[in-house]
């Protein structure tokens, strides 16, 4: 059997009793990083006086080797008690895990997914935006047209939108948002559940001023839904269902979102 086990995103106390039980009873531990999982287990042994199997096998399974690993799998691998744990948070959410689940479904292998710590939902709730339809886009691409298209999608999709961002690019992201939509309200969560957790809600310009060059830490950014989208009786989704040329769709979408027409057209082409 396979069990996907979420691990703390910061505060060790957020781990569940079920997660501790499964980690301690695992025969095989598939780990995004074996060093991180071993460190977590050592902490659990000391803090919660938990006993673990002596002969547990640790196997590295990360985004770079996941495809190759699964290609070599056979269903009898899961005759053992197998646990997959990412470094922090929920497996399958910006971490490996979904391909393992797909393999189990395809090959009739029993599996379970535990609920637990998750930065996306934590930040979404903490943002306090009352529009409860949510879209998660993970990390934007680092640069180029694909990053620009990703930002346009984040700004103009008709949902409250959540992104992850690194300390190296959070300033760049805020500058880009300020250039595109200076009035858009954002919520920033830094180092969720950790000692230096911080929240900020306001525009990109206010965030830049408030942070004053201190961009260290891991960030979750929540975009409020744009006012024009919230007030419109017709949505981008409605327009995309119409049998119209992409350029016409882009012009109509721009009317309700305020998005730049060229950026919108490029984004629509990438959605195909």
């Amino acid at each position: 059997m396979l069990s996907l086990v979420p691990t703390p995103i910061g505060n060790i106390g957020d781990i569940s009793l079920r997660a501790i039980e499964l980690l301690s009873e695992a025969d095989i531990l598939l780990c995004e990083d074996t060093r991180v999982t071993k460190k977590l287990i050592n902490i659990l042994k000391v803090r919660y006086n938990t006993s673990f199997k002596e002969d547990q096998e640790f196997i590295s399974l990360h985004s770079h080797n996941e495809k190759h690993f699964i290609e070599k799998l056979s269903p009898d691998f899961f005759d053992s008690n197998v646990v997959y744990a990412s470094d922090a948070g929920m497996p399958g959410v910006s971490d490996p895990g979904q391909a393992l689940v797909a393999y189990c479904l395809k090959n009739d292998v029993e599996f379970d997914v535990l609920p637990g710590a998750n930065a996306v939902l934590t930040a979404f709730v903490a943002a306090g935006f009352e529009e409860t339809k949510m879209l998660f886009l993970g990390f934007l691409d680092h640069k180029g047209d694909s990053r620009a298209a990703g930002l346009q999608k984040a700004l103009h999709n008709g949902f409250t939108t959540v992104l992850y961002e690194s300390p190296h690019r959070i300033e760049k992201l805020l500058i880009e948002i300020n250039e595109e939509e200076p009035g858009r309200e954002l919520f920033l969560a830094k180092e969720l559940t950790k000692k230096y957790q911080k929240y900020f809600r306001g525009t990109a310009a206010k965030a830049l001023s408030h942070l004053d060059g201190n961009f260290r830490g891991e960030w979750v950014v929540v975009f409020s839904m744009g006012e024009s989208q919230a007030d419109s009786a017709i949505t981008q989704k409605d327009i995309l269902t119409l049998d119209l040329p992409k350029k016409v769709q882009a012009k109509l979408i721009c009317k309700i979102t305020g998005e730049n027409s060229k950026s919108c057209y490029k984004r629509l082409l990438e959605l195909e």
Side-chain angles (χ1 to χ4, degrees):
M1 178 177 176
L2 170 69
S3 298
L4 274 69
V5 176
T7 54
I9 58 176
N11 191 320
I12 191 68
D14 290 336
I15 196 163
S16 70
L17 295 175
R18 287 182 68 197
I20 294 174
E21 181 180 356
L22 284 173
L23 289 169
S24 66
E25 295 178 353
D27 298 312
I28 300 172
L29 281 155
L30 303 176
C31 316
E32 185 179 6
D33 187 328
T34 58
R35 296 167 297 180
V36 173
T37 304
K38 288 176 180 179
K39 181 179 179 180
L40 171 64
I41 286 173
N42 286 332
I43 292 172
L44 295 176
K45 286 178 179 178
V46 173
R47 181 170 296 193
Y48 299 109
N49 196 29
T50 306
S51 297
F52 285 74
K53 286 187 175 181
E54 294 292 335
D55 57 348
Q56 288 182 317
E57 181 180 1
F58 292 81
I59 299 176
S60 180
L61 178 59
H62 46 74
S63 58
H64 300 294
N65 73 349
E66 183 179 31
K67 182 178 179 181
H68 180 68
F69 179 86
I70 291 173
E71 286 174 349
K72 295 172 63 178
L73 272 181
S74 61
D76 59 9
F77 177 79
F78 297 98
D79 290 345
S80 300
N81 188 7
V82 180
V83 165
Y84 176 73
S86 52
D87 289 350
M90 175 67 73
V93 181
S94 282
D95 282 326
Q98 293 285 25
L100 274 174
V101 172
Y103 178 90
C104 289
L105 289 167
K106 182 178 180 180
N107 293 277
D108 199 27
V109 172
E110 185 180 3
F111 73 95
D112 194 14
V113 180
L114 269 63
N118 179 274
V120 179
L121 294 180
T122 303
F124 176 70
V125 174
F129 296 136
E130 295 184 46
E131 174 51 62
T132 56
K133 295 185 294 182
M134 184 264 283
L135 178 65
F136 173 57
L137 296 180
F139 286 92
L140 295 182
D141 289 341
H142 295 179
K143 57 186 178 180
D145 290 343
S146 58
R147 179 177 176 85
L151 179 58
Q152 291 297 326
K153 184 176 181 180
L155 288 167
H156 306 293
N157 60 64
F159 297 90
T160 300
T161 302
V162 185
L163 298 179
Y164 287 159
E165 193 53 279
S166 74
H168 310 295
R169 287 183 295 276
I170 183 66
E171 181 181 20
K172 176 183 178 181
L173 176 63
L174 292 172
I175 291 171
E176 290 169 336
I177 295 169
N178 189 50
E179 290 174 349
E180 288 286 337
E181 283 214 6
R184 180 67 67 91
E185 190 168 22
L186 308 172
F187 176 80
L188 277 63
K190 171 186 176 180
E191 295 287 276
L192 278 172
T193 81
K194 298 177 184 176
K195 180 179 180 180
Y196 296 106
Q197 172 181 292
K198 298 291 182 183
Y199 293 159
F200 176 82
R201 180 165 160 170
T203 64
K206 289 181 180 178
L208 287 165
S209 176
H210 176 78
L211 295 172
D212 192 27
N214 182 13
F215 301 111
R216 289 175 295 178
E218 299 299 323
W219 297 85
V220 186
V221 182
V222 186
F223 295 66
S224 67
M225 189 169 73
E227 290 184 9
S228 58
Q229 297 172 64
D231 296 338
S232 176
I234 187 170
T235 67
Q236 172 179 289
K237 185 176 180 181
D238 296 326
I239 293 170
L240 292 176
T241 62
L242 300 176
D243 185 18
L244 295 170
K246 282 288 182 286
K247 285 188 176 181
V248 176
Q249 289 180 337
K251 288 180 180 179
L252 291 173
I253 290 170
C254 292
K255 290 290 185 182
I256 64 171
T257 66
E259 184 178 358
N260 177 274
S261 59
K262 289 184 179 179
S263 298
C264 182
Y265 178 61
K266 183 180 293 185
R267 176 167 60 86
L268 296 186
L269 291 177
E270 293 191 358
L271 290 176
E272 291 185 322

